[in-house]
Amino acid sequence: MAATLLTLQPRAERADASVDHAIQAIVAGATTTETCNTDLAAGPWNFDARPGYGPGSSMGDVIPTGAPRQGELPAAYREASDDELDARIRAAKETLGDRVVILGHFYQREEVVRHADYVGDSFQLANAALEHPDAEAIVFCGVHFMAETADLLSRPGQAVILPNLAAGCSMADMADIDQVEECWEQLADVYGDMEQTDADGRVPVIPVTYMNSSAAIKGFVGRHGGIVCTSSNARTVLEWAFARGRRVLFFPDQHLGRNTAKAMGIPLEQMPMWNPRKPLGGSRADELEDARVILWHGFCSVHRRFTVEQIDTARAEHPGVRVIVHPECPMAVVDAADESGSTDYIRRAIEAATEPTTFAIGTEVNLVQRLAAANPQHEIFCLDPVVCPCSTMYRIHPGYLAWVLEGLVAGETLNRIAVPADVADPARLALERMLAARP
Ligand code: SF4
């Protein structure tokens, strides 16, 4: 897939894009703006040892017991100043040269993104790594499922490194493989043989997983005739699935599933939610029989913060404002916005605006701040008035990046993410189906 990536601007143009600086200023009382949690001002090593996702919007989400924990970062990195870490990262990168590729997700903090060779969404970045088959190591400054995807697509022998193992994704973790297997068994009790085709050649259910899911879920989907989607191609993928199945089981993000299916004309009554803690997901058998899309009970805590009231306020305070939100936002928010689309859609929409425009954006604040700094001809602000970055992405502090890069310089591969072959093979199959399904 040919990826369109953000071109990195010179550092000076982006100097005011740092969400971390904004957080420090807020906590120091230098501004009246608020953060969603004062713990954000602490270094991640202060909360890595605690069970949870770190301070921020997902702090209240339940973390699975098996979620990776990060060991303590050596004091030399924890105690280094911002300038020292910046210099050490640059020096290590210079020494490593083409041996390493650094990938930075759109939602990553500025202090890390400035060192990235590529900036983009998770799938764009996994593909960017393919352009460097000779690199020994791919350092993925994102979250766990992204590093897994990069490992699935990378050349054998290339090491994919996640600088902080505790950088998970609360949404991806909401679809646990054991719960998904249990769900499939219960659906088989309702639908019968899951491989039996009807007169139109369609099986009872096709599983579809959002890219934001573990490799184990992608592997499950691959084993059961299913497919992966991104927020850019979700509609194309659902059309692919409906050509092969009477229903879709969509995980983990209920909002992307609902917003996409609704735009395709599927009634809400035919989209029951599957709550893994309830028998039959909380629905009756007849409701499941009638279903077109079964939505897994998952969500992104960052995008769930956006509300219709925030849009109303933006419209009242900024007449003519153009409101664009991510499809991980709740349905009412997507309906109230002018447009919805992936992070890359949002970026391209802003860059394509020829007249100075006011944009209110419903997605993660690091990306919004960076877009605002890169497009000074427009007024761009985040719909959420509270500064609340993705708490797991935020755990990739520059200290961890310096640590893994200096490890590579010393011949040590730290925090390698490697998907086992029995999971990787079907997961790759599900990704290949997505690539083939592109219009
Ligand atoms: S923004 Fe949401 S979906 Fe994306 S990594 Fe963070 S928690 Fe996961």
Side-chain angles (χ1 to χ4, degrees):
M1 174 181 176
T4 308
L5 299 173
L6 263 185
T7 310
L8 288 174
Q9 290 90 35
R11 187 174 169 185
E13 286 177 36
R14 301 181 290 136
D16 58 349
S18 171
V19 169
D20 202 43
H21 290 171
I23 289 169
Q24 303 293 341
I26 292 164
V27 173
T31 108
T32 55
T33 315
E34 294 178 4
T35 61
C36 56
N37 193 294
T38 51
D39 274 3
L40 284 164
W45 35 89
N46 289 326
F47 42 78
D48 274 348
R50 300 182 215 160
Y53 288 105
S57 54
S58 63
M59 205 171 186
D61 295 340
V62 179
I63 191 164
T65 46
R69 294 281 190 277
Q70 174 65 47
E72 189 174 53
L73 189 66
Y77 301 97
R78 283 186 278 125
E79 293 165 7
S81 68
D82 292 351
D83 286 345
E84 184 188 341
L85 288 173
D86 193 73
R88 289 175 73 159
I89 292 168
R90 285 178 196 285
K93 203 178 162 196
E94 177 81 23
T95 302
L96 291 164
D98 293 342
R99 290 172 53 203
V100 68
V101 182
I102 302 178
L103 308 177
H105 190 269
F106 277 137
Y107 298 162
Q108 190 51 261
R109 60 167 81 202
E110 180 60 23
E111 290 74 16
V112 167
V113 153
R114 69 168 60 125
H115 301 291
D117 297 302
Y118 296 94
V119 182
D121 65 28
S122 58
F123 194 55
Q124 288 174 333
L125 291 176
N127 276 289
L130 295 178
E131 294 175 21
H132 297 269
D134 297 330
E136 298 164 22
I138 299 161
V139 177
F140 209 127
C141 299
V143 297
H144 195 268
F145 77 82
M146 301 176 187
E148 285 186 327
T149 307
D151 182 56
L152 291 173
L153 298 179
S154 65
R155 177 180 59 74
Q158 279 185 308
V160 177
I161 292 171
L162 183 65
N164 183 341
L165 291 180
C169 163
S170 56
M171 179 212 274
D173 288 342
M174 286 173 192
D176 167 85
I177 186 62
D178 292 336
Q179 292 176 333
V180 167
E181 298 274 13
E182 170 66 22
C183 165
W184 195 252
E185 283 179 22
Q186 292 190 43
L187 289 178
D189 289 342
V190 176
Y191 300 137
D193 184 349
M194 299 290 255
E195 294 181 9
Q196 180 67 49
T197 53
D198 64 11
D200 296 325
R202 296 183 303 168
V203 295
V205 194
I206 294 282
V208 175
T209 192
Y210 188 21
M211 186 65 76
N212 300 20
S213 58
S214 68
I217 299 298
K218 293 184 179 83
F220 169 89
V221 160
R223 279 188 280 116
H224 293 284
I227 184 168
V228 178
C229 77
T230 68
S231 51
S232 301
N233 65 16
R235 183 177 183 134
T236 302
V237 166
L238 284 193
E239 286 166 354
W240 180 97
F242 282 125
R244 292 159 178 80
R246 297 195 292 283
R247 308 171 190 82
V248 162
L249 173 61
F250 191 95
F251 17 61
D253 185 22
Q254 57 171 292
H255 299 297
L256 178 64
R258 186 180 294 111
N259 288 323
T260 308
K262 180 169 177 260
M264 294 169 71
I266 296 173
L268 295 177
E269 312 82 75
Q270 291 186 301
M271 297 186 218
M273 182 107 79
W274 187 277
N275 183 336
R277 292 181 193 83
K278 296 183 178 176
L280 289 186
S283 296
R284 297 189 312 270
D286 63 300
E287 290 171 327
L288 293 171
E289 279 288 355
D290 196 38
R292 300 291 315 286
V293 180
I294 303 163
L295 300 166
W296 192 262
H297 191 279
F299 53 84
C300 167
S301 294
V302 174
H303 290 96
R304 198 173 66 154
R305 286 179 58 85
F306 296 105
T307 64
V308 174
E309 290 70 32
Q310 290 167 355
I311 295 178
D312 291 343
T313 301
R315 294 201 194 283
E317 294 179 354
H318 303 271
V321 67
R322 193 169 152 191
V323 180
I324 313 180
V325 302
H326 195 280
E328 289 174 22
C329 293
M331 182 181 73
V333 174
V334 169
D335 289 349
D338 297 309
E339 298 155 68
S340 69
S342 65
T343 45
D344 198 49
Y345 173 92
I346 295 169
R347 178 186 68 81
R348 284 188 283 108
I350 289 171
E351 291 178 358
T354 50
E355 296 297 319
T357 305
T358 302
F359 289 96
I361 303 298
T363 195
E364 208 269 354
V365 65
N366 275 289
L367 175 59
V368 179
Q369 295 272 91
R370 201 171 297 123
L371 288 169
N375 296 275
Q377 72 279 22
H378 301 309
E379 183 182 3
I380 300 171
F381 61 91
C382 185
L383 272 173
D384 190 349
V386 168
V387 175
C388 195
C390 168
S391 63
T392 50
M393 199 82 72
Y394 195 65
R395 299 183 96 141
I396 309 284
H397 185 277
Y400 291 106
L401 179 56
W403 176 57
V404 297
L405 289 177
E406 291 188 351
L408 287 170
V409 170
E412 197 179 358
T413 304
L414 300 159
N415 285 11
R416 182 169 185 176
I417 304 296
V419 180
D422 62 329
V423 173
D425 291 344
R428 258 187 230 107
L429 180 61
L431 285 165
E432 284 162 9
R433 289 186 184 128
M434 178 185 81
L435 294 174
R438 291 179 71 228

